[in-house]
Structure formats: C-alpha cells, structure tokens
Amino acid sequence: MDENKQNKKGGIGGYLFGGIFLLVGLAVMFFVAVVPIGKYMESGSWARVPATVLSSKLNSHRSDGSTTYSVSGSYRYRFRGVDYTSSQISQYSGSDNFGDYWQQLYGLIDTARRNNRTVSAWVNPDAPHEAYLDRTFRWGSVIFGFAFGGVFALVGGGVMFLMRRGSKEAELVSETGFYSSQEKSGHWFLVGFGAIFILLPSPAYLEVWKEVSRGDYMILMVLLFPLVGAGIAFAGWKMRQNYRFFGPTPLAMDPEPGQAGGQVGGEIHLGRAVPEDASLTVWLSCIRCYYSGSGKDRKTRESVLWQTSQRAYCSPRQNGTDIQFCFDAPADQPGTREREPGISGRQDWIRWRVAVEGQLAGRDLKRTWEIPVVAGSGTSRFQLPESHVMADRRERELEAVESASEQIHVEQTGQGLYLESRAGRNLGMKLGMLLFGGIFAGVGTGLFIAAASEGFMLYFMGSIFGLIGYAIVFSTVYTLARGLQVWIRGSEVKVVRRWLGIAIYRREGRLLRAEQLVLKSGMSSTSNGRKTEYMTLQADVDGKTLRLAEGIKGREVGEALREAVLRALRLV
C-alpha cells in the first residue's frame, strides 16, 4: 500500500512536471512567435504616416554571461487632424540578442531624432492611438519562439507520454498478462532528442552567412548541432525499423511474479521465424539502482548484483517463434523494488530485467523487459527440455575452456603442470583505468600548483584528487606489467612473480586436496548492462595463499580453468 501511494504521488508529480513544461513551451510559442506573426499580418493594412521622434534609448541587459537589447523612446504623429504620442517603437516586446535588429533600429530612429527628420509610423485606422515605428518581420525571433517553445513542449509532452505509457503498461499487464519490451517507444525519445538538438540553436542559423562574410568562421560550429541531431534522429528511425521488423515481442511470465529462491520463467513471442543455426541468448539480471549527486547533477545509476544467461529455446509457430526461458534465481537476491538502506542517505531500489540478444536475418535483435520478482520457491511451467539444457551447458563449458586457454597458458609437461598469467592481458580495461586515474592525477596536480596563489583549500582538494589518481595509475601500471608463472610437480607448487620480466619473489607449497584450490572474485566491470568479473585462482597451502592464475575474465572461465587444473592433477 505504501508503494502504491508512492507510485501515485510520483505519477501526479510527473504529470505536474510535464504539464508545466508543456504549458511554458506553448506559451513561449504563442507569445514569442504566433503573436508577432499575427501583429505583422494585421498591421499590413494600417495607414503609414510621418512621425517625429521625441526620445530614443538603446537598453542593454546583462544576465548569465550574455547581453540582450531593446529600444525605448517616444514619438508624435498626426492622423486625421489629431495629434497622438506613442512609446510603442516595435511590434516586438522584451529584449533579445537575435542578430543586430535592436542596434539597427536604434541607429535609425536616433539619427532621425538628432537630425530633426521624420520617420514613418504605421497607425491602426480603427484605433489611431495604436501605432508602431517599425514592423519588420524578424525571422530569428519567430524561429526562436517556435524552437525554444517547441523544445519545452517536447520535454513536457514526453514526460506526460511516459507517465501515460507507464499506466497503460500496468493496465495491459493486468488485462492480458503480457509485458511489453522497453524498446516499444524508445525510438521516439531518440527522434525527440534529435529534434531538440536541431531546434535549440536554430535562430543562429540565420546569422551563419553574415558572420562568415565578416571572417568569423567559429560560427560554423553551430552547424554541428543539426548534424548531431540528424544523426540521433536517424538512429531513432533505424530503431523504429528494427522494432517493426521483429514485432512487439510480448512476454508472458510463469510464475508471475518470478521467484527469487525458485524460478523465473517466461515465453516471448517473436514475429519472425528463427533458423535452427541462429544463436539467441536470454539474460536475467538483478540490478540495484540508486541516485548519485544532488540537485541538477543528480543521476540514476545501476549496479548489477547478479546475472546469468542461457541459450534461447525456440519453438516455431505459424506466425513467428516462441522463445522460452527458465532460470533458477538465488534466494539471496532481493525482490523487485525492495528498498535497501542507502549510502549517505541515498535511496536504493531493485529491478529485475530480462533481455534477448542475437543476430537474425542480418539484423541485431536486442529486447529488454522489466519484470516483477519476489521472494519465493515457485517453479515455472516453461521447463526447458533436458537435451536443450545439456547442449547449452556443454557449449558453454567448451567456450569457457577455450577462453581459459586463450587467457592463461596451461601446459602439461613430462614433469607436471605449467601455468602462466602473461603480462599485458585485459589491455582495454587497464587502459581505461589508466585514463581515469590520469585525469584524477592531472586535476590533483593542477589544483596543487594553483594552491600556491589561491589558498590552502586547493592544497586539500589537490591532495585528495592526486592521491586517488596516482594510486590508480601506479597500481594499474603494476598490474599491467606483472606476470605469474606456476609449476606444479606432483603435490609440489612453485610460484614466481615477475614484473617487466624480472622475478620479484618466489613461493612454494604442497597441493594435496581439491578443497585447497579456490576461485576468488576480484574487481568487476559493467558494459552495456553486462557484468564481467575478473577472477583469481588460488591455493591455500601450508597456511598461506598462493596465486596460481589471475585476471581471469569471467566466472565461468575461471571455473573451467579450476576444473582443468584439478583434472590434470587427478584430484577429481
């Protein structure tokens, strides 16, 4: 009940937020673009009479690093024998910096005032007190009104669409029992985001040729926005085409909700036939979501708590293919949206996600679903055939063994078993850490240098950044250049640690039982929603720990390497 109340409040807040943005956007389009267009068309039939400028002033307003302008003043004119005075200089109100419109207008009327010359005024014949000195149609202002207001309206409408879609999804699940994939409407967000990139700087497009003719070629940088926006919108269009190719892909669950401590199973209908040689993979992930930062820097981040996969079991149907899956979910994983104590007051929540990935008919298939999971021991009616499960297991074991032999050199010699963890492995991950650490170290060094003139606080901040950065850099350089050689002869284990090829220490021990060989998880990384663990194979020998292999990419690969070592030593 508490969660339903929170969801209801969140829904009202979402509609309120979106509605405000939508109304603001529509108001900007109306008052900044539509109203001036209406005034311009209406004043086209007004009478044109001479007018004397009484006063003129160019106003400038400085805010947020930019300067906007407006013109104020007064003038006198005669219409049908009656004298009138007006302060309405232009049909545009407010101040802006679209081009040099206000500067030119001020120059025109101020010159006329100083030289005692008359200028033309447009007078409404039905209401002679209403007049303008200038009725220029400003394309820049109109485009800005439609573009800026359109961006706000797009954001507001998008938020309201999201809220409406979420409520419709809940209704759809309750009525039909089917879950829609997250890709159902993702393409529209890309199209909308691309439109924002194109529209936002649109008033500057009119100034490009003028500024280039003056030698200011930096204005050409503004053309990057429509190019990037067009690329994003094109990606959204491609996503839409891909979505239509494979169809809606509804997911039916059993049990519903899934059971953490039991099984999570389901069936996905794909609107395409799947060839026998196609390789589709189903993933199940338990994900912890949390907020980081505060204010405008607040972001939602994800951390994979647990993840597994299996080869999809495909059953052909008349109108496509049904993809079935069935996972054993561990009981120690939390259920969907279960709240956990946050760090530093941050609020955490849990999502369970099903994903299907693979290649089909030359296209990438990737669909994801958010599903409910609770603690329980229920089983699924979507039990996969034993032959499929065994074939999938054998295939994974074979892939793991091949990957293990590629990562760790294992050789059976006449004298025993030789293992080598070569230096320079997992290069991409370590170069990324070097870059990350280098940025922190550079910032820390810069702050430390600036502290000489700026004060003590920069010494403190520079020390923190520097310690973190240099620690990451030095540790990464060490792990990048280190190697490990292991010889196992009978029950004797000999380990040599090398750095840049130089032996830095040696250790020895006796390996007598399978229980002594342990697989430990070290660091992990997450990319595109896929968690990769880096494992260490170690032996507990004579009260000390000896590393036999390290930096093994993937838990399954580490387990395959452990089994291979145990078989070679005849301990299984």
Side-chain angles (χ1 to χ4, degrees):
M1 291 180 63
D2 291 341
E3 186 171 325
N4 289 334
K5 289 180 180 179
Q6 289 178 0
N7 290 339
K8 188 173 181 180
K9 290 180 180 179
I12 295 174
Y15 276 114
L16 182 62
F17 177 83
I20 292 174
F21 265 68
L22 180 62
L23 289 176
V24 169
L26 293 176
V28 170
M29 286 193 287
F30 180 76
F31 289 107
V32 180
V34 176
V35 169
I37 291 175
K39 288 182 177 179
Y40 178 82
M41 296 178 65
E42 179 187 17
S43 61
S45 59
W46 289 6
R48 190 173 181 179
V49 300
T52 301
V53 179
L54 302 177
S55 63
S56 59
K57 181 181 179 182
L58 177 64
N59 306 301
S60 62
H61 313 272
R62 183 76 177 175
S63 177
D64 295 331
S66 64
T67 304
T68 58
Y69 299 92
S70 64
V71 172
S72 60
S74 61
Y75 55 95
R76 183 174 59 245
Y77 59 92
R78 174 174 290 234
F79 185 75
R80 294 175 181 171
V82 179
D83 289 332
Y84 296 90
T85 301
S86 176
S87 60
Q88 187 66 48
I89 305 295
S90 170
Q91 63 180 357
Y92 299 95
S93 58
S95 60
D96 57 70
N97 54 6
F98 310 138
D100 55 0
Y101 168 76
W102 293 111
Q103 292 90 328
Q104 289 192 19
L105 177 59
Y106 170 73
L108 176 69
I109 63 175
D110 190 62
T111 299
R113 179 186 62 81
R114 286 186 285 104
N115 295 332
N116 294 320
R117 293 203 310 262
T118 60
V119 293
S120 295
W122 279 262
V123 181
N124 184 355
D126 298 326
H129 62 278
E130 185 178 356
Y132 304 124
L133 276 188
D134 182 78
R135 60 178 295 271
T136 300
F137 187 81
R138 300 182 61 198
W139 283 102
S141 177
V142 171
I143 291 175
F144 172 81
F146 281 123
F148 191 77
V151 167
F152 266 71
L154 274 174
V155 172
V159 171
M160 297 180 73
F161 172 76
L162 262 181
M163 303 306 301
R164 177 58 181 164
R165 178 175 177 267
S167 60
K168 288 181 68 176
E169 287 293 335
E171 294 173 5
L172 179 66
V173 171
S174 63
E175 292 174 3
T176 67
F178 290 108
Y179 292 83
S180 297
S181 69
Q182 292 183 303
E183 288 73 15
K184 182 177 180 179
S185 56
H187 51 276
W188 291 121
F189 295 103
L190 287 180
V191 172
F193 197 61
I196 290 174
F197 256 78
I198 295 172
L199 292 174
L200 203 56
S202 54
Y205 300 156
L206 300 177
E207 303 297 320
V208 170
W209 178 251
K210 183 188 298 184
E211 295 300 321
V212 167
S213 63
R214 294 175 178 174
D216 183 10
Y217 295 102
M218 288 299 295
I219 191 67
L220 294 174
M221 295 294 291
V222 78
L223 299 180
L224 291 176
F225 282 86
L227 290 176
V228 172
I232 295 173
F234 179 73
W237 178 80
K238 291 286 290 183
M239 184 185 293
R240 172 63 177 171
Q241 295 299 105
N242 199 55
Y243 178 82
R244 295 181 63 184
F245 180 82
F246 292 112
T249 60
L251 182 152
M253 290 188 65
D254 186 79
E256 185 184 13
Q259 307 285 292
Q263 291 185 326
V264 176
E267 185 176 71
I268 303 161
H269 181 72
L270 186 67
R272 289 277 169 175
V274 177
E276 291 185 3
D277 59 345
S279 178
L280 302 181
T281 304
V282 183
W283 293 81
L284 178 64
S285 307
C286 178
I287 300 169
R288 170 180 171 263
C289 306
Y290 59 94
Y291 292 123
S292 67
S294 59
K296 64 180 181 179
D297 295 324
R298 192 181 190 187
K299 297 179 181 178
T300 301
R301 299 193 180 276
E302 295 185 350
S303 174
V304 177
L305 299 179
W306 175 84
Q307 188 173 77
T308 188
S309 65
Q310 62 184 215
R311 186 159 59 93
Y313 178 68
C314 301
S315 301
R317 295 290 183 264
Q318 187 175 1
N319 58 345
T321 305
D322 286 342
I323 300 174
Q324 295 180 358
F325 62 90
C326 183
F327 294 98
D328 294 325
D332 59 352
Q333 296 301 322
T336 301
R337 298 197 61 80
E338 182 176 323
R339 303 292 178 176
E340 294 183 340
I343 300 173
S344 302
R346 293 186 305 208
Q347 192 176 35
D348 297 13
W349 64 98
I350 301 298
R351 290 176 179 169
W352 283 77
R353 188 173 296 159
V354 172
V356 172
E357 296 179 0
Q359 274 262 336
L360 192 60
R363 292 174 180 257
D364 290 326
L365 171 62
K366 184 174 182 180
R367 294 291 169 89
T368 55
W369 299 261
E370 301 285 351
I371 61 170
V373 173
V374 298
S377 57
T379 58
S380 174
R381 63 183 173 89
F382 297 112
Q383 296 295 323
L384 307 186
E386 186 66 22
S387 58
H388 175 82
V389 175
M390 295 302 295
D392 181 37
R393 185 177 301 166
R394 286 194 300 269
E395 183 178 332
R396 291 181 179 279
E397 289 175 353
L398 180 59
E399 291 176 353
V401 169
E402 292 176 349
S403 180
S405 63
E406 291 174 0
Q407 296 185 45
I408 307 296
H409 177 63
V410 181
E411 182 180 353
Q412 184 74 52
T413 67
Q415 296 180 334
L417 189 67
Y418 172 72
L419 292 86
E420 182 180 3
S421 301
R422 299 186 183 94
R425 293 173 302 114
N426 304 319
L427 187 60
M429 181 266 293
K430 290 175 180 175
L431 288 178
M433 292 185 64
L434 274 178
L435 177 62
F436 181 78
I439 292 173
F440 263 69
V443 170
T445 302
L447 290 174
F448 212 83
I449 294 173
S453 57
E454 298 294 333
F456 172 77
M457 183 56 67
L458 291 188
Y459 278 120
F460 177 72
M461 295 175 61
S463 298
I464 294 176
F465 275 85
L467 286 173
I468 295 174
Y470 283 112
I472 294 174
V473 169
F474 290 136
S475 62
T476 305
V477 170
Y478 170 72
T479 58
L480 188 63
R482 74 179 179 179
L484 187 68
Q485 293 176 304
V486 178
W487 291 267
I488 305 176
R489 299 183 179 92
S491 60
E492 300 293 329
V493 180
K494 179 181 178 181
V495 177
V496 177
R497 165 70 72 195
R498 295 185 180 275
W499 192 74
L500 292 177
I502 303 170
I504 56 177
Y505 67 78
R506 303 172 188 270
R507 290 181 180 174
E508 296 181 359
R510 292 173 61 84
L511 183 59
L512 301 174
R513 303 180 309 279
E515 295 78 20
Q516 291 179 270
L517 203 58
V518 181
L519 192 66
K520 293 289 187 180
S521 176
M523 64 176 297
S524 64
S525 64
T526 302
S527 177
N528 296 323
R530 298 292 167 259
K531 181 179 181 180
T532 302
E533 292 182 280
Y534 293 88
M535 315 300 295
T536 298
L537 183 63
Q538 62 189 39
D540 296 328
V541 178
D542 301 332
K544 55 188 175 184
T545 299
L546 302 183
R547 285 196 173 191
L548 306 186
E550 60 190 7
I552 308 167
K553 188 177 180 181
R555 178 174 289 275
E556 290 185 348
V557 179
E559 290 173 348
L561 180 62
R562 180 179 182 274
E563 291 298 318
V565 172
L566 290 175
R567 283 195 299 269
L569 298 176
R570 299 179 181 178
L571 293 177
V572 290

